[in-house]
Amino acid sequence: MLLKDKKILIMGIRNKWSIAYGIAKSAYENGAKLIFTYMGEENKDKIEELIGEFEGSKSYILDGASEDELVKEVFTKIKEENGKVDGIVHAIAHANTEDLRNDFIYTSKVGYSHAVDVSAYSFVLVSRIAKEIDMLNENANLITLTYHGSTKVLEGYNVMGVAKAALECSVRYLADNLGPMGIRVNAISAGPIKTLSAKGIKDFSTILNVVEEKAPLRRNVTTEEVGNSVAFLMSDMSRAITGQIIYADSGYNIMGI
């Protein structure tokens, strides 16, 4: 198994349709021991039931992944109770609904800052705190999730595209900063998947149809396929890969039209 006895922290799990769940499933099946963070005390029972199939897993509430003190407090507790981890998966992003529904030019300053803060800065913060409290084992991996809208204009993606572009650039700088310590940093650019977050994107079903029609493999991807890609990046088989944006999108990103 690719991840036998590795401890992986997965941030941002919400439900069984989320990409984070697909990642958890693949990591668990490949031998990983799982730790989760999620938002909201009111979601505790739901999350505990959701992760119940992953034997031995633990979960922690983190209500502000872009808040320095909150992240440090939760990460310190995770390290105290579980020891160091071998990888962190950052599956956290958010933009205000009005900033996805309206034309990009109408994005407010508050909305712009919010999207970048939650979707991009949080990954930088997570990386820094993990380093500062010595939470990462040797050859640990940090992985985040991005999307094609970071490099191409996709109707309805708007300010989230800007946030993902900042996230992808952050991956490269973090890879350079952490590389001398043997820590790798990468991102998976997943194809469109019907998740709770995707519901906020206008005409999302149209995007799914276009991928099925135009992608070289003529199909959309699944959360489990994305999870398998993450499992590979978390494993020792990918030790020469860092600072990369790896597409798991049935090849759609290579098409010109």
Side-chain angles (χ1 to χ4, degrees):
M1 293 186 284
L2 289 178
L3 304 178
K4 183 174 174 55
D5 295 330
K6 289 184 181 291
K7 283 181 285 189
I8 308 297
L9 169 59
I10 299 176
M11 307 180 68
I13 193 166
R14 299 179 72 181
N15 54 48
K16 67 179 181 180
W17 299 283
S18 66
I19 294 177
Y21 178 82
I23 293 170
K25 189 172 186 295
S26 181
Y28 181 76
E29 290 174 351
N30 278 284
K33 298 178 180 179
L34 303 180
I35 306 164
F36 297 90
T37 65
Y38 64 95
M39 286 190 65
E41 175 70 34
E42 68 277 9
N43 294 318
K44 182 176 181 178
D45 291 343
K46 181 181 72 174
I47 296 298
E48 290 297 334
E49 181 180 0
L50 179 66
I51 67 175
E53 66 182 88
F54 308 125
E55 185 177 351
S57 63
K58 295 183 180 180
S59 64
Y60 299 81
I61 298 171
L62 176 57
D63 281 331
S66 59
E67 301 294 329
D68 293 44
E69 290 307 314
L70 285 178
V71 173
K72 186 172 184 178
E73 178 183 346
V74 174
F75 274 26
T76 299
K77 184 176 181 181
I78 289 173
K79 182 187 175 185
E80 288 175 350
E81 296 184 359
N82 303 277
K84 294 184 181 182
V85 301
D86 300 288
I88 299 176
V89 177
H90 173 271
I92 297 170
H94 189 265
N96 294 330
T97 301
E98 61 268 25
D99 293 322
L100 298 176
R101 297 292 182 180
N102 299 328
D103 286 347
F104 173 71
I105 199 171
Y106 297 115
T107 306
S108 67
K109 181 177 182 180
V110 171
Y112 191 103
S113 299
H114 171 76
V116 174
D117 188 47
V118 175
S119 309
Y121 172 71
S122 61
F123 186 55
V124 179
L125 175 61
V126 162
S127 303
R128 181 170 72 249
I129 296 298
K131 175 181 179 293
E132 287 179 350
I133 68 171
D134 192 26
M135 184 183 185
L136 302 171
N137 276 322
E138 186 178 359
N139 299 319
N141 294 273
L142 306 178
I143 296 176
T144 188
L145 301 175
T146 186
Y147 180 57
H148 192 44
S150 63
T151 60
K152 303 295 181 184
V153 174
L154 296 176
E155 185 178 359
Y157 205 57
N158 297 347
V159 71
M160 188 55 77
V162 174
K164 292 298 190 182
L167 179 65
E168 291 180 12
C169 189
S170 298
V171 166
R172 292 186 282 273
Y173 279 94
L174 289 170
D176 177 60
N177 288 173
L178 297 174
M181 300 170 55
I183 297 170
R184 297 189 287 115
V185 186
N186 293 289
I188 291 287
S189 184
I193 296 174
K194 287 184 179 179
T195 64
L196 189 61
S197 298
K199 290 182 178 180
I201 301 173
K202 184 170 58 177
D203 298 326
F204 182 73
S205 60
T206 301
I207 298 175
L208 292 172
N209 293 337
V210 169
V211 171
E212 282 192 351
E213 179 185 350
K214 301 292 186 180
L217 294 180
R218 300 296 192 272
R219 63 176 178 82
N220 284 289
V221 299
T222 66
T223 57
E224 190 165 356
E225 288 173 330
V226 176
N228 290 339
S229 298
V230 172
F232 165 71
L233 286 178
M234 282 282 179
S235 77
D236 291 339
M237 294 185 71
S238 62
R239 287 182 63 175
I241 300 174
T242 194
Q244 302 302 308
I245 313 301
I246 307 295
Y247 284 87
D249 66 347
S250 294
Y252 179 75
N253 72 94
I254 71 171
M255 303 305 294
I257 56 174

